[in-house]
């Protein structure tokens, strides 16, 4: 059986995560690499950081597949004097191709939010919203109702541990059955969450003003909010992407013959520790948003 080439692998990835389904501002697809080059080892990671690229180099990876783009914003130099430049140079010198599936993986089915919803055990799933012609996010039902505190523990057990942990807004004893999820940043979807009738919304990167306004609209009731972290809510997708790519290449995930693959061991969450968590009591109303 002949070796796989980069073009073979890219063709499968493009089929799984079509580039035309990505947001207009996004930068997805093949970033570095020569289509005819052989691919024998593939590393999956959420972010193409310098540490991840070094891990790929040391392992002898021919291809690095990431969720987040390396070159989302324009650069004018790839000199090693900047982190972006060092990243590009490191990939090229080590002959490592880079492929990105970002917002096109968010709206795929299964995609980032589908995998998150499955990990939380949600049944009767449906899309939370649409982004252009594509469904995004998920809404589903728990097998049985539970308190918000109990559900927060379910989320913590389902996701990889992080330095920042999980932030929750709502009555710990509040009843939860219907759950909305959006892997990664999701504080632009509060209207869709309210319209869905979900009791709680699991997402990440919740900023002060949007989150506070959402809780004001809820009058301290549902939907409650759970900020589970950007890296944690999206990293579960990596195993799905790995399995689907191997299947698309005709490989048995348990015993692949032409290509090896693995998920990066590096946690690319930027935070390293927290201080004073849960030390504050709920504050009295201050009179508005500033």
């Amino acid at each position: 059986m002949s070796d796989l080439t980069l073009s073979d692998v890219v063709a499968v990835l493009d089929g799984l995560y079509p580039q035309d389904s990505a947001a207009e501002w996004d930068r997805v697809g093949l970033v570095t690499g020569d289509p005819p080059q052989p691919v024998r080892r593939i590393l999956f990671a959420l972010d193409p950081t310098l540490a991840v690229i070094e891990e790929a180099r040391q392992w002898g990876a021919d291809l690095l597949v990431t969720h987040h783009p390396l070159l989302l914003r324009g650069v004018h130099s790839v000199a090693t004097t900047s982190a972006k430049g060092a990243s590009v140079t490191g990939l090229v010198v080590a002959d490592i191709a880079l492929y990105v599936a970002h917002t096109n993986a968010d709206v795929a089915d299964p995609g980032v939010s589908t995998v998150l919803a499955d990990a939380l055990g949600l049944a009767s799933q449906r899309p939370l919203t649409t982004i252009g012609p594509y469904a995004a996010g998920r809404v589903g039902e728990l097998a049985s109702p539970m308190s918000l505190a109990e559900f927060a523990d379910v989320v913590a057990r389902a996701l990889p541990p992080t330095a920042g942990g999980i932030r929750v807004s709502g009555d710990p004893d509040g009843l939860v059955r219907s759950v909305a999820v959006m892997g990664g940043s999701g504080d632009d979807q509060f209207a869709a969450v309210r319209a869905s009738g979900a009791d709680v919304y699991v997402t990440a990167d919740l900023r002060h003003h949007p989150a506070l306004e959402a809780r004001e609209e809820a009058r301290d009731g549902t939907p409650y909010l759970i900020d589970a972290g950007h890296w944690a809510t999206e990293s579960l997708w990596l195993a799905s992407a790995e399995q689907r790519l191997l299947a698309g290449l005709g490989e048995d995930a348990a015993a692949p013959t032409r290509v090896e693959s693995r998920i990066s061991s590096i946690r690319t969450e930027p935070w390293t520790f927290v201080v004073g968590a849960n030390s504050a009591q709920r504050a009295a109303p201050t009179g508005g948003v500033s």
Side-chain angles (χ1 to χ4, degrees):
M1 190 175 293
S2 62
D3 287 342
L4 291 168
T5 66
L6 179 57
S7 61
D8 294 329
V9 181
V10 167
V12 175
L13 286 167
D14 283 346
L16 295 172
Y17 310 108
Q19 294 187 42
D20 60 7
S21 66
E24 183 178 351
W25 50 263
D26 207 0
R27 298 294 179 264
V28 299
L30 189 63
V31 180
T32 64
D34 184 18
Q37 73 185 70
V39 172
R40 301 182 184 91
R41 286 186 168 182
I42 304 173
L43 181 68
F44 291 81
L46 203 67
D47 301 279
T49 63
L50 288 167
V52 167
I53 292 168
E54 178 60 17
E55 179 187 22
R57 187 192 67 79
Q58 291 188 9
W59 184 52
D62 305 296
L63 172 62
L64 173 61
V65 177
T66 68
H67 182 50
H68 292 140
L70 174 62
L71 302 174
L72 185 59
R73 297 173 179 84
V75 297
H76 304 288
S77 168
V78 291
T80 58
T81 49
S82 72
K84 293 294 184 185
S87 297
V88 173
T89 300
L91 289 164
V92 172
V93 169
D95 204 19
I96 301 170
L98 172 63
Y99 184 95
V100 173
H102 188 210
T103 52
N104 48 333
D106 290 339
V107 299
D109 188 12
V112 172
S113 292
T114 318
V115 174
L116 176 57
D118 290 344
L120 298 180
L122 303 186
S124 304
Q125 292 182 25
R126 62 188 189 275
L128 169 64
T129 187
T130 57
I131 299 177
Y134 304 106
R138 305 295 284 177
V139 181
E141 307 297 318
L142 296 170
S144 58
M146 63 184 70
S147 71
L148 177 60
E150 291 170 330
F151 178 67
D153 284 337
V154 169
V155 176
R157 289 193 299 270
L159 299 182
T162 66
I166 292 173
R167 299 187 298 172
V168 184
S169 180
D171 179 359
D173 297 321
L175 197 64
V176 170
R177 178 189 286 274
S178 179
V179 180
V181 304
M182 178 72 78
S185 302
D187 68 9
D188 59 345
Q189 297 297 329
F190 287 132
V193 174
R194 287 191 290 270
S196 75
D199 300 311
V200 62
Y201 181 35
V202 181
T203 187
D205 296 346
L206 295 182
R207 296 167 294 170
H208 174 86
H209 291 312
L212 181 59
E213 290 167 3
R215 297 301 297 138
E216 289 281 281
E217 290 294 336
R219 305 299 196 273
D220 284 337
T222 61
Y224 305 124
L225 304 179
I226 294 182
D227 185 331
H230 198 120
W231 178 83
T233 58
E234 292 189 329
S235 62
L236 298 178
W237 168 80
L238 297 172
S240 170
E242 179 186 29
Q243 293 163 9
R244 296 185 74 206
L245 176 58
L246 291 177
L249 293 170
E251 294 287 302
D252 181 351
T257 58
R258 293 185 294 170
V259 65
E260 292 182 71
S261 65
R262 76 182 202 189
I263 296 170
S264 171
S265 61
I266 296 173
R267 178 173 58 86
T268 55
E269 179 195 29
W271 311 114
T272 53
F273 65 94
V274 296
V275 175
N278 290 325
S279 63
Q281 299 298 314
R282 184 182 175 97
T286 58
V289 177
S290 61

